[in-house]
Amino acid sequence: MNVLVLGGTGEARRLAAALDGRPGFAVTSSLAGRVAVPALPEGEVRIGGFGGVDGLVAWMRGSRTDAVVDATHPFAARMTANAVAAAEAVGVPLLLLRRPGWQEGPGDRWHRVPDAPAAAALLPALGERVFLAIGRGDLPVFARLAELWFLLRAVDPPPPPLPPRHHAVLARGPFTADAERALLREHRIDVLVTRDSGGEMTAAKLVAARELGLPVVLMARPEAPPAPTVATVAEAVHWLESRQLG
């Protein structure tokens, strides 16, 4: 079974490791190429976009793809939509591998918002110094907030437009709660803005915010298209094995 794993997440790397060398499977992991030095999974890897649905369809047919696992970031809505459309066009099964979102607990001061514009509108009422941990795609939405100061964190330098008052930290997770707490204190952060990515790799900042009593603005995930969905790598492997046997 030729499996295409649309990756870039920890779950995608763990799935590739589980399938690589497994009897009856050949796995290719696809990375978008947005990070200069990505964390590479085991097995065959391709880097770069497909060129939309038509390009993905052509690649899948040329590679004789038998199944697709979309294990991209929960906020990679365009890639997921393309994957669903391409899998339907080629006639192969597709699975979404999505870790659950975060759940608010005792001591959390979360403000759930639908998107980046709603987060930007809320910020002035919550604080002046903002830790903006949202990836680079939505940064331009916050560029107009000249009265606020932003701490930005990314693997590579984020492109403009950026908020006029900001400091960028280049780092790759996972991060510990102790490190996140120290970062928030060092930069005298008043409020954290992040996306509901879920998972343990990036949850430490939420722990640190809770311990320091800071409010968190949590951006909701885009709605996923209707497709078979699992939450764990083990479930994804089981789904693939059931189709292999079928």
Side-chain angles (χ1 to χ4, degrees):
M1 174 180 278
N2 293 318
V3 181
L4 171 62
V5 176
L6 303 174
T9 61
E11 290 84 4
R13 289 190 292 274
R14 291 195 294 275
L15 178 59
L19 296 177
D20 185 45
R22 198 180 194 92
F25 287 101
V27 59
T28 299
S29 296
S30 176
L31 307 181
R34 294 182 178 179
V35 177
V37 184
L40 296 178
E42 296 181 32
E44 189 78 18
V45 179
R46 70 169 302 278
I47 298 177
F50 291 96
V53 175
D54 291 343
L56 180 52
V57 166
W59 190 93
M60 289 169 59
R61 286 176 173 157
S63 302
R64 299 183 181 276
T65 300
D66 298 307
V68 179
V69 179
D70 178 1
T72 55
H73 193 277
F75 282 76
R78 180 177 297 178
M79 186 67 247
T80 296
N82 288 351
V84 171
E88 183 177 353
V90 177
V92 301
L94 175 138
L95 178 73
L96 301 183
L97 172 54
R98 290 289 185 272
R99 54 185 180 260
W102 288 311
Q103 297 299 315
E104 190 171 1
D108 286 324
R109 298 172 56 198
W110 289 5
H111 302 264
R112 291 186 180 270
V113 295
D115 51 29
L122 183 60
L123 275 182
L126 296 178
E128 180 184 354
R129 299 180 67 83
V130 183
F131 181 18
L132 198 56
I134 62 170
R136 65 184 188 177
D138 287 318
L139 289 179
V141 175
F142 299 86
R144 61 179 178 81
L145 298 177
E147 71 277 16
L148 304 183
W149 182 92
F150 291 90
L151 174 65
L152 313 178
R153 183 167 66 194
V155 176
D156 297 321
L162 300 173
R165 301 174 60 205
H166 76 270
H167 174 69
V169 174
L170 302 184
R172 188 197 300 269
F175 305 98
T176 66
D178 287 343
E180 297 289 62
R181 193 184 310 109
L183 184 72
L184 294 173
R185 283 174 169 160
E186 176 188 355
H187 295 282
R188 296 177 285 115
I189 297 300
D190 300 318
V191 55
L192 164 67
V193 180
T194 190
R195 302 180 294 182
D196 189 9
S197 302
E200 295 298 322
M201 287 186 63
T202 56
K205 58 181 175 287
L206 297 173
V207 175
R210 179 193 312 131
E211 293 174 348
L212 296 176
L214 300 181
V216 175
V217 179
L218 194 66
M219 292 163 47
R221 297 179 176 188
E223 186 175 354
T229 304
V230 297
T232 68
V233 170
E235 289 174 306
V237 171
H238 176 74
W239 183 87
L240 288 167
E241 288 178 332
S242 68
R243 272 135 193 85
Q244 184 187 46
L245 294 174

